[in-house]
């Protein structure tokens, strides 16, 4: 299934590239289709899983099924974010689409959060929508293979654009596809945005004659789901445009950018609205934007040398100061490095100097030189993680190396290259010895990357030997050696598993298959890895998100403990706020004592399932409300009966009053809930859904304004009597964005149709206006 979809998508992209960008011979097309399989081949050829699908087995209850699926310890814990964010996001998108809904709301985590507006689900990307044709777990095999192919195709086409022959261009494709930055982040939106850099640069070169290529490239870039990386790619594209663009081409580029923003408004406007409500926006704008980011010259030089020569990305630093540097890397292997050095001495032209300048800039940002402090003063860059520019350095290395291969294949100056390669090998050997001798980094405890240094030395040495013996095989030998080298170094980063290993049935959940009403779950400690619940149709109050609702994070101290850079942990199940959050069930280790207010209803090996005896429904009428409190969090922390009380955020004098009484019945509806309320007295209904902007409440057909209840939830005021409430998550930003996107696409379609009709009339002999031959335009760049 994954292989068939990949082949169909890859062939379509190759046809489009051959038709509109640059001719691609069948042999080159076949190689481009096959080279991603050096990294994902085992998974895609066996219809298996490519990704960290073993990580949920690190915790109960799935850890009790390890033996049945042949699992040992986790293959690579460094990619755990995929298991707790990216993979469950796609499940939420697939569920929404299968219901015939827009992917607006994710109910599975953190008492609900925006889905498409989170950006990282990349809900509107055409490649995400294609992946939805597959089961969620299998779809990531397709996604990884496709994005490796896109990176390789883009680098190939760009190298051809620079004048490289076909094999050096294929070398560029392999080099960029398999650089360490991309291989590590290929399943993250950040890596997919990076993969589009070659297409953006190519489109900049063609923008005067074919501006629609830049429009498509920017649209795909915006829809990858990582605005920060989009900023970085566009910045590098704009810098490249300064080398090539005329005034007219600049206008074409601006128009393409404006149209891309219009097409993506459905994605961007909800993101902008949601971002303002997040804890991360406060941290980035108030703290991170004003921190000193540069480090000392010694730390910068150490991380640069080891990053490029020893490629130690998978190992942790013993030095505390150096450990603060990110794990992003510009490494692309010793063969690329040696050819880069060769190219700097032999290649001529302004392209060489642009990419050398781009390399220097990206490396200075990557190692946090004082240049980072200067860029930090620029709006948007002040809140961005700019050491991620390492991907640009990797691409510059690869392009310069490809130019070196092309020159070396023509000149056959193998002895000069051999001398360069020997110097690189010597440098790698010395640096590796120094690192091990001085114990600068921790031992490699991961189950991948064991032969990185060996491959750096051995494959470069083999390439040098082949070139000396058979100079005619310069380009093919370097291509083959690079492919083998990077396959050895990066091929084991992601594990491969059989298809049935992902999220197998858990007997504990059989009793939850027919719930009477909406409910949530939680787990004690780190039992049941958060976000895994999405694959069992369960909603968890825990989670780990790049965009955490500020009001939701404010109440963490009432019910959980936050671990920096990780999920929130529940240590105390009797917490009264868990009942307010509609937590009906909890998973706990079977040896832990039964908490007060909970009863055991099922047990499976090492895990028991508990039911909360005091849980409140998703919508409830509290007995007492506190209106306009100046310090609601403090009052809530001191209140022993949270179930009976609610705090309503109102701009009025503080007051405490009886509420209702009344009864409510809630059922799910499209994009939200239908609620029937019978109020004996006036008062407030609390709905325990995170009150992100975008919720709309309609009472008896009239839209009303809801309030914040218990800091983070929804509060709806009702008069005495029976009422029908329709509560939906339907943000105004989405409605406006959808209208702008639709109008932009319609305008583009009308323009294209009108232009084609005009062209057909001009060439129709019956119109009497046959096209006159045009004088060929002199190309100034050929003079």
């Amino acid at each position: 299934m994954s292989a068939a979809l990949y082949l169909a998508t890859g062939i379509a992209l190759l046809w489009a590239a051959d038709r509109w960008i640059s001719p691609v011979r069948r042999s080159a097309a076949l190689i481009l289709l096959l080279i991603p399989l050096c990294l994902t081949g085992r998974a895609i050829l066996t219809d298996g899983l490519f990704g960290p699908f073993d990580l949920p087995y690190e915790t109960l209850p799935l850890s009790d099924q390890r033996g049945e699926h042949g699992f040992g310890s986790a293959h690579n814990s460094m990619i755990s974010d995929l298991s707790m964010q990216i993979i469950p996001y796609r499940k939420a998108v697939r569920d929404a689409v299968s219901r015939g809904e827009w992917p607006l709301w994710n109910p599975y985590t953190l008492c609900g959060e925006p889905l498409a507006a989170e950006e990282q689900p990349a809900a509107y990307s055409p490649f995400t929508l294609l992946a939805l044709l597959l089961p969620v777990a299998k779809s990531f095999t397709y996604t990884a293979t496709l994005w490796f192919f896109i990176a390789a195709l883009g680098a190939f086409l760009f190298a051809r654009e620079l004048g490289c022959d076909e094999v050096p261009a294929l070398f560029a494709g392999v080099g960029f596809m398999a650089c360490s930055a991309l291989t590590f982040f290929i399943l993250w939106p950040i890596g997919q945005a990076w993969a589009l850099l070659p297409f953006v640069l190519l489109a900049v070169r063609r923008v005067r004659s074919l501006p629609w290529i830049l429009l498509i490239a920017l649209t795909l870039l915006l829809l990858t789901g990582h605005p920060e990386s989009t900023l970085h790619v566009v910045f590098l594209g704009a810098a490249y445009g300064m080398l090539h663009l005329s005034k007219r081409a600049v206008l074409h580029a601006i128009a393409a950018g404006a149209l891309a923003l219009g097409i993506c408004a459905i994605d961007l406007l909800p993101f902008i609205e949601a971002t303002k409500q997040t804890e991360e926006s406060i941290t980035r704008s108030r703290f991170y934007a004003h921190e000193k980011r540069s480090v000392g010259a010694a730390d910068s030089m150490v991380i640069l040398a080891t990053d490029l020569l020893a490629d130690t990305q998978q190992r942790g630093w013993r030095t505390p100061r150096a450990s603060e540097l990110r794990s992003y890397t510009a490494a692309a292997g010793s063969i690329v490095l040696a050819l880069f050095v060769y190219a700097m001495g032999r290649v001529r032209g302004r392209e060489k100097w642009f990419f050398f300048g781009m390399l220097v800039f990206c490396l200075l940002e990557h190692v946090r030189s004082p240049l980072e402090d200067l860029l930090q003063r620029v709006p948007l860059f002040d809140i961005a993680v700019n050491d991620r520019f390492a991907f640009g350095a990797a691409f510059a290395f690869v392009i310069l190396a490809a130019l070196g291969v092309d020159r070396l294949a023509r000149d056959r100056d193998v002895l000069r290259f051999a001398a360069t390669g020997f110097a690189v090998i010597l440098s790698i050997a010395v640096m590796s010895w120094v690192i091990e001798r001085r114990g600068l980094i921790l031992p490699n405890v991961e189950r991948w990357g064991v032969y990185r240094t060996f491959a750096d030395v051995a494959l470069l040495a083999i390439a040098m030997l082949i070139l000396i013996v058979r100079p005619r095989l310069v380009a093919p030998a370097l291509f083959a050696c690079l492919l083998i080298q990077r396959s050895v170094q990066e091929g084991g980063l992601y594990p491969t598993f059989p298809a049935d290993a992902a999220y197998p049935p858990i007997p504990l959940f059989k009793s939850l298959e027919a719930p009477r009403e909406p409910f949530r779950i939680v787990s004690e400690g780190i039992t049941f890895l958060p976000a895994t619940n999405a694959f069992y149709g369960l909603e968890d109050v825990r989670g780990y998100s790049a965009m955490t609702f500020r009001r939701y994070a404010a109440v963490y101290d009432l019910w959980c403990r936050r671990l920096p850079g990780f999920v929130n942990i529940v240590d105390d199940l009797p917490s009264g706020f868990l009942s307010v959050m509609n937590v009906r069930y909890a998973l706990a280790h079977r040896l832990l004592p039964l908490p007060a207010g909970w009863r055991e209803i099922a047990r499976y090996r090492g895990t028991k399932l508990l039911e909360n005896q005091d849980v409140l429904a998703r919508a409830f009428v509290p007995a007492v409300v506190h209106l306009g409190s100046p310090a609601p969090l403090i009052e809530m922390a001191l209140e022993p009966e949270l179930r009976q009380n609610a705090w309503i955020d109102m701009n009025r004098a503080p007051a405490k009053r009886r509420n209702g009484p009344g009864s409510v019945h809630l059922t799910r509806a499209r994009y939200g809930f239908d609620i029937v309320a019978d109020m004996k007295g006036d008062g407030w209904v609390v709905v325990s859904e995170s009150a992100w902007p975008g919720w709309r409440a309609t009472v008896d057909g009239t839209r009303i304004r809801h309030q914040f209840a218990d800091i983070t939830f929804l509060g709806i005021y009702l008069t005495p009597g029976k009422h029908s409430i329709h509560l939906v998550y339907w943000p105004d930003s989405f409605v406006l964005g959808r209208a702008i996107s639709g109008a932009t696409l319609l305008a583009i379609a009308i323009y294209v149709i009108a232009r084609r009709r005009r062209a057909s009339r001009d060439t129709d002999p019956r119109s009497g206006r046959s096209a006159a031959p045009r004088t060929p335009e002199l190309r100034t760049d050929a003079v």
Side-chain angles (χ1 to χ4, degrees):
M1 296 173 63
S2 302
L5 186 58
Y6 165 66
L7 284 175
T9 312
I11 291 172
L13 291 175
L14 283 167
W15 175 85
D18 180 79
R19 173 68 175 81
W20 287 300
I21 298 178
S22 179
V24 182
R25 291 200 306 172
R26 291 183 180 180
S27 58
L30 180 61
I31 292 173
L32 287 168
L33 279 173
L34 292 178
I35 57 177
L37 304 190
C38 293
L39 300 172
T40 67
R42 182 183 169 195
I44 201 164
L45 295 177
T46 62
D47 202 24
L49 310 178
F50 184 83
F53 295 97
D54 56 338
L55 290 179
Y57 287 84
E58 292 292 294
T59 62
L60 290 170
L62 285 175
S63 59
D64 284 330
Q65 299 188 27
R66 273 181 179 172
E68 299 171 18
H69 296 280
F71 286 121
S73 59
H75 179 85
N76 185 357
S77 59
M78 294 176 66
I79 54 178
S80 60
D81 283 7
L82 293 172
S83 186
M84 292 187 288
Q85 289 184 328
I86 307 303
I87 297 173
Y89 283 155
R90 184 166 296 178
K91 175 65 165 61
V93 171
R94 195 172 194 269
D95 287 351
V97 172
S98 66
R99 294 192 301 266
E101 299 178 3
W102 291 93
L104 301 181
W105 188 249
N106 179 9
Y108 295 121
T109 182
L110 301 173
C111 287
E113 63 176 352
L115 184 54
E118 180 84 15
E119 279 296 280
Q120 296 207 58
Y124 301 114
S125 169
F127 303 122
T128 299
L129 298 177
L130 284 171
L132 297 184
L133 297 173
L134 301 170
V136 173
K138 285 185 179 181
S139 71
F140 284 90
T141 302
Y142 162 76
T143 294
T145 310
L146 178 64
W147 279 105
F148 279 134
F149 168 77
I150 289 172
L153 176 62
F156 169 82
L157 292 173
F158 185 74
R160 292 286 285 164
E161 186 78 4
L162 296 182
C164 290
D165 288 338
E166 198 166 71
V167 179
L170 288 171
F171 179 95
V174 171
F176 187 54
M177 176 199 78
C179 70
S180 295
L182 272 183
T183 54
F184 188 89
F185 287 104
I186 196 63
L187 287 179
W188 273 275
I190 182 173
Q192 293 159 16
W194 294 347
L196 290 171
L197 174 62
F199 280 106
V200 172
L201 299 184
L202 174 61
V204 167
R205 289 178 62 96
R206 297 283 190 93
V207 70
R208 182 174 179 179
S209 58
L210 296 172
W212 58 268
I213 296 180
L214 182 59
L215 170 61
I216 293 174
L218 292 177
T219 300
L220 292 175
L221 179 63
L222 288 167
L223 294 178
T224 54
H226 205 267
E228 180 184 84
S229 296
T230 297
L231 172 68
H232 292 159
V233 172
V234 169
F235 175 81
L236 295 177
Y240 190 60
M242 295 175 65
L243 186 69
H244 288 281
L245 298 186
S246 63
K247 292 182 179 179
R248 182 178 179 183
V250 169
L251 294 177
H252 286 176
I254 293 173
L259 288 173
L261 290 173
I263 293 172
C264 300
I266 189 174
D267 187 53
L268 296 176
L269 292 187
F271 164 72
I272 294 171
E273 180 186 44
T275 299
K276 298 175 183 177
Q277 310 299 320
T278 63
E279 186 182 48
E280 290 76 14
S281 68
I282 297 295
T283 302
R284 289 283 185 103
S285 60
R286 294 184 182 177
F287 303 104
Y288 182 73
H290 305 288
E291 292 178 353
K292 178 179 172 59
R293 301 187 199 172
S294 61
V295 298
D299 284 329
S300 294
M301 292 304 297
V302 167
I303 195 66
L304 176 62
T306 53
D307 186 30
L308 299 182
L309 299 180
D311 198 4
T312 57
Q313 179 194 12
Q314 79 279 12
R315 301 167 70 174
W317 289 90
R318 293 188 187 275
T319 306
R321 185 60 175 166
S323 66
E324 295 177 6
L325 296 171
R326 308 288 184 181
S327 61
Y328 316 112
T329 176
S334 62
I335 295 177
V336 166
L337 185 59
L339 284 162
F340 155 73
V341 176
Y342 174 83
M344 291 308 300
R346 299 294 294 167
V347 175
R348 300 288 183 269
R350 61 178 183 171
E351 295 288 344
K352 163 193 162 180
W353 292 112
F354 171 82
F355 283 104
F356 179 71
M358 173 176 158
L359 171 67
V360 172
F361 169 82
C362 292
L363 285 180
L364 289 175
E365 286 295 323
H366 169 47
V367 301
R368 295 192 189 179
S369 71
L371 180 63
E372 166 68 347
D373 295 329
L374 293 177
L375 189 64
Q376 185 180 355
R377 299 177 184 178
V378 181
L380 297 182
F381 288 99
D382 60 337
I383 58 174
V385 183
N386 295 317
D387 50 338
R388 289 174 175 165
F389 267 116
F391 81 95
F395 180 73
F397 271 127
V398 167
I399 289 300
L400 290 169
L403 293 173
V405 173
D406 192 69
R407 182 60 182 264
L408 183 59
R410 295 175 184 177
D411 295 350
R412 298 182 186 176
D413 190 8
V414 294
L415 293 180
R416 186 186 297 269
F417 173 71
T420 302
F422 178 78
V424 170
I425 290 175
L426 182 62
S427 300
I428 291 173
V430 171
M431 184 58 62
S432 299
W433 180 82
V434 170
I435 288 173
E436 298 296 337
R437 181 80 172 177
R438 296 193 176 185
L440 295 178
I441 55 178
L442 299 172
N444 182 13
V445 296
E446 301 291 347
R447 297 169 62 189
W448 61 280
V450 177
Y451 299 105
R452 297 177 78 90
T453 302
F454 169 79
D456 262 340
V457 173
L459 269 300
L460 178 54
I462 292 172
M464 292 161 52
L465 180 62
I466 295 175
L467 265 59
I468 292 173
V469 176
R470 292 286 188 272
R472 294 183 179 181
L473 299 179
V474 166
L478 289 170
F479 167 77
C481 288
L482 178 66
L483 187 61
I484 297 171
Q485 180 185 74
R486 299 309 287 169
S487 299
V488 171
Q489 292 180 319
E490 305 293 343
L493 198 158
Y494 283 87
T496 296
F497 304 107
D500 61 356
Y503 312 105
I506 298 177
L508 278 176
F509 297 150
K510 288 185 177 180
S511 58
L512 310 181
E513 290 178 353
R516 299 182 299 275
E517 58 185 22
F519 65 88
R520 294 193 176 96
I521 69 164
V522 79
S523 294
E524 195 168 16
I526 57 172
T527 304
F528 200 41
L529 192 69
T532 307
N533 53 283
F535 291 88
Y536 298 92
L538 301 173
E539 301 175 21
D540 197 336
V541 294
R542 303 170 302 159
Y544 175 42
S545 176
M547 291 176 56
T548 309
F549 188 35
R550 188 162 64 246
R551 287 178 168 270
Y552 192 78
V555 300
Y556 275 176
D557 289 342
L558 297 177
W559 62 279
C560 70
R561 171 171 54 92
R562 166 176 277 189
L563 296 180
F566 196 58
V567 298
N568 38 2
I569 303 297
V570 175
D571 297 316
D572 183 20
L573 284 180
S575 166
F577 201 69
L578 290 177
S579 296
V580 176
M581 299 167 80
N582 189 223
V583 175
R584 182 176 293 275
Y585 299 102
L587 284 82
H589 194 281
R590 66 180 181 86
L591 297 180
L592 292 177
L594 188 67
W598 295 76
R599 70 183 183 95
E600 182 178 331
I601 60 173
R603 180 175 293 206
Y604 173 70
R605 297 180 182 177
T607 313
K608 55 188 177 184
L609 180 65
L610 309 178
E611 184 177 15
N612 187 358
Q613 303 285 74
D614 299 321
V615 64
L616 290 172
R618 185 67 56 91
F620 63 94
V621 180
V624 178
V625 292
H626 304 255
L627 306 176
S629 172
L633 186 60
I634 296 176
E635 293 181 12
M636 293 167 71
L638 297 175
E639 175 58 54
E641 289 294 334
L642 284 173
R643 296 176 67 257
Q644 303 298 322
N645 292 262
W647 281 257
I648 307 298
D649 188 356
M650 300 182 65
N651 187 18
R652 53 156 293 168
K656 178 179 178 180
R657 52 159 284 187
R658 300 292 299 176
N659 190 61
S663 61
V664 292
H665 177 68
L666 176 145
T667 56
R668 294 191 183 276
R670 284 173 60 85
Y671 301 106
F673 306 96
D674 286 328
I675 304 172
V676 177
D678 186 2
M679 301 293 291
K680 306 302 181 185
D682 70 313
W684 299 82
V685 173
V686 176
V687 182
S688 55
E689 290 285 319
S690 293
W692 286 83
W695 282 104
R696 298 184 180 188
T698 303
V699 177
D700 301 328
T702 302
R703 185 174 175 181
I704 66 164
R705 180 181 178 183
H706 62 77
Q707 303 290 341
F708 293 107
D710 291 337
I711 299 178
T712 187
F713 297 136
L714 298 165
I716 301 172
Y717 178 76
L718 298 176
T719 57
K722 291 187 176 181
H723 300 280
S724 176
I725 305 169
H726 186 51
L727 185 65
V728 296
Y729 184 74
W730 193 254
D732 291 337
S733 58
F734 164 73
V735 176
L736 177 61
R738 185 178 61 169
I740 294 174
S741 296
T744 304
L745 289 171
L746 180 62
I748 292 173
I750 292 173
Y751 172 78
V752 171
I753 293 172
R755 186 171 180 176
R756 287 186 175 181
R757 287 184 176 179
R758 180 180 177 182
S760 63
R761 287 198 306 268
D762 289 345
T763 57
D764 189 351
R766 293 173 296 178
S767 67
R769 295 189 300 170
S770 58
R774 298 178 61 186
T775 303
E777 184 178 337
L778 178 65
R779 291 182 55 189
T780 57
D781 60 344
V783 177

